[in-house]
């Protein structure tokens, strides 16, 4: 779950920064740094969600495929279905 939390946050934050860069200064160096970071975080979110046993509920794994916020959606669904300790 820790990996999914970190990757979901990195995915959402990197997308926000990429869009902010696109709408403002459009610095190529920033895009070159954030693009691969976002792509890697997106793939980690998908892989982690599909390997998590708690994500076996209907629809959870498919939520991870939504670019940008899919990790946050999947994480929210997993935490809602997981009983509190």
């Amino acid at each position: 779950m820790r990996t999914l939390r970190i990757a979901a946050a990195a995915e959402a934050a990197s997308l926000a920064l990429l869009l902010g860069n696109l709408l403002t200064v459009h610095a190529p160096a920033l895009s070159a740094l954030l693009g691969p970071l976002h792509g890697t975080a997106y793939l980690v979110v998908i892989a982690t969600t599909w390997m998590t046993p708690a994500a076996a509920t209907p629809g959870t794994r498919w939520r991870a495929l939504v670019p940008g916020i899919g990790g946050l959606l999947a994480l929210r669904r997993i935490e809602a279905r997981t009983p509190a300790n």
Side-chain angles (χ1 to χ4, degrees):
M1 291 294 278
R2 178 187 231 182
T3 304
L4 183 57
R5 280 190 193 102
I6 293 169
E11 179 190 12
S14 64
L15 180 64
L17 290 172
L18 276 169
L19 292 175
N21 181 42
L22 183 64
L23 295 174
T24 57
V25 295
H26 194 53
L30 196 57
S31 295
L33 175 71
L34 292 174
L37 174 69
H38 175 69
T40 303
Y42 179 58
L43 292 176
V44 169
V45 163
I46 292 170
T48 305
T49 303
W50 281 75
M51 292 187 324
T52 303
T57 58
T60 303
R61 290 182 174 155
W62 296 106
R63 281 177 171 80
L65 298 175
V66 177
I69 61 167
L72 297 173
L73 294 173
L75 187 61
R76 181 177 175 195
R77 176 84 175 225
I78 290 170
E79 289 177 346
R81 298 280 181 154
T82 306
N85 291 332

